Amino acid sequence: MSDTSKTVKSGKAGVVEGQSTVAPADDPTAAPVTVVDPRLLIREEGFRGYLTEFKRKVKGGELGSLPVVIGLIVIWTIFQLQNDRFLSADNLSNISYFLSATGMLAIGLVFVLLLGEIDLSVGSVSGLASTLFAVFVVNQGMNAWLALALAIVTGIAIGALHGWFFARIGVPAFVVTLAGFLGWNGLMLWLLGDSGTINIPSETGPVHLLGQSSFFMDQAIIGAYILAGLAVVLSLAGNLGEQRRRRTAGVPFRPTSEILLRVGALAVASFAAAAVLNNAAGVSNALVIFLAALVIVDFVLRRTTYGRKVFAVGGGIEAARRAGINVPLIRITVFAISGGFAAVGGMFFAGQTASATLSAGGGNTLMLAIAAAVIGGTSLFGGRGSVWSALLGMLVIQSIQTGLDLLNMNTSIQYMITGAVLLGAVVIDSVSRRSQKAAGRA
């Protein structure tokens, strides 16, 4: 641990939390010198210190989610000026519901992108999963929840198979998942038969749960505000817990005032979103499950050994191997996770249409899922990103689609605008990486 990041707790005079005492290298017998962590100096300067730190990060290419947040504000402003129904409660409710299916695919893709790889099969796997569910339930009379479990396990197994060919045989991920894209799509078409569609009764458990008319707790107002309050409480508990652990470990930690400010901002955003959705019909079950998946996966990536290994492999394969990480195993499990989330996304699509069709997971589903992860801030070059990029990216994409639909724009315009936004996100990512290298932070 470096001298500038090490914090000691001592009863000696002059030694406080956030400082370390080191002896001069040329004279070990000399009196120790107190070194203050630079992050504490920033906090002591108040708003000016944080502003200086923000400018430094921007100059060094550490943009985080800033570009996509600014882009989302611009998109919403433009569409609202063109059609005053865009920011209505009903329209925002539709955006929040329809982003969840493709968003599930994007969550799995974030894992793959963190390795600097790609999975082109997620669209076909999602379609195959919804088809298997329909075949099991409608044609075979199987219990719906058992059919759901089998469909998801199938997606995980398919992803693991792709990962095995990539990690153990050495087939490029692009090639093996492209083969999967074609092969699993063909299997889906064969299972659907000549009709090309299997209708699923809307009252079927998982389909009803994920339908557009199903809401959290079936009590719109109570459910929305309970979720908002839960988000605030969990955030406060998590931040205070981290502060306590870092204080105990003797490393710099966020002051309580900063934590309260962050949680307060989250509370305002959460309860405002709950109020808006309550003006429509409430919070859909699909959105609740999607958000829960984001929270769980974010915890896995940021708080567990496995998550750190994923980032390590994405940051440098040889370095990760020398650190004792089982690189092939990480690769296989990452593709298995991608396949699992693709299958879950397929069930979301089935819930939206109460059917399994030829178009399930087809069309531009794959491209939109990849675009969502990248637009949201996950790097195509690996080693940098967050699962929350799936939410931010899908907000951008779904907002563009819904806004253009309100303006009666042709689908071709949607594709061109989404493509331009994706290119802009990749350009920002490339420039950011170059700036970080120039600043010595890559």
Side-chain angles (χ1 to χ4, degrees), residues 86-399:
F86 180 78
L87 291 180
S88 66
D90 289 334
N91 191 58
L92 292 177
S93 178
N94 287 334
I95 291 176
S96 69
Y97 173 72
F98 286 106
L99 64 79
S100 57
T102 308
M104 279 294 185
L105 274 66
I107 292 177
L109 281 168
V110 167
F111 279 84
V112 179
L113 291 174
L114 287 174
L115 297 187
E117 302 296 340
I118 194 69
D119 186 351
L120 300 178
S121 69
V122 292
S124 295
V125 173
S126 69
L128 177 61
S130 64
T131 300
L132 286 174
F133 175 81
V135 169
F136 290 150
V137 173
V138 178
N139 297 351
Q140 304 298 325
M142 184 182 293
N143 176 272
W145 296 105
L146 177 58
L148 172 66
L150 289 177
I152 295 175
V153 169
T154 300
I156 295 173
I158 289 174
L161 179 64
H162 294 162
W164 183 82
F165 275 107
F166 168 55
R168 295 296 186 184
I169 306 300
V171 182
F174 177 88
V175 176
V176 69
T177 57
L178 178 59
F181 166 77
L182 298 172
W184 305 124
N185 189 59
L187 179 58
M188 178 189 72
L189 298 179
W190 180 73
L191 290 172
L192 287 173
D194 296 334
S195 64
T197 301
I198 299 178
N199 293 318
I200 308 171
S202 57
E203 66 272 11
T204 303
V207 174
H208 175 72
L209 176 69
L210 299 172
Q212 191 172 4
S213 60
S214 297
F215 300 95
F216 181 66
M217 294 180 62
D218 290 328
Q219 297 288 332
I221 294 179
I222 295 177
Y225 287 120
I226 285 179
L227 285 173
L230 183 62
V232 174
V233 170
L234 289 178
S235 176
L236 179 61
N239 277 279
L240 291 177
E242 181 182 12
Q243 181 196 59
R244 183 177 62 256
R245 289 191 299 270
R246 295 180 69 86
R247 187 198 302 267
T248 303
V251 295
F253 53 86
R254 286 197 180 104
T256 304
S257 58
E258 182 179 341
I259 291 176
L260 294 178
L261 180 62
R262 288 170 175 264
V263 174
L266 174 63
V268 171
S270 299
F271 282 96
V276 170
L277 293 177
N278 279 337
N279 287 332
V283 183
S284 66
N285 288 328
L287 178 61
V288 173
I289 296 172
F290 176 54
L291 293 176
L294 286 172
V295 172
I296 294 171
V297 174
D298 179 66
F299 176 83
V300 170
L301 279 177
R302 296 196 304 115
R303 302 294 185 185
T304 67
T305 301
Y306 175 78
R308 289 190 287 271
K309 288 179 179 179
V310 171
F311 279 102
V313 173
I317 296 175
E318 187 58 34
R321 185 178 290 112
R322 290 177 179 272
I325 297 175
N326 189 336
V327 175
L329 179 61
I330 294 298
R331 286 174 161 176
I332 292 173
T333 55
V334 160
F335 277 91
I337 291 171
S338 179
F341 273 103
V344 174
M347 294 309 307
F348 275 61
F349 286 121
Q352 291 177 1
T353 61
S355 65
T357 65
L358 293 173
S359 61
N364 60 348
T365 301
L366 168 64
M367 294 299 103
L368 291 180
I370 296 174
V374 176
I375 290 172
T378 299
S379 175
L380 279 171
F381 303 99
R384 189 173 76 248
S386 167
V387 292
W388 293 102
S389 62
L391 172 61
L392 293 173
M394 279 310 304
L395 274 174
V396 171
I397 291 174
Q398 196 63 49
S399 295

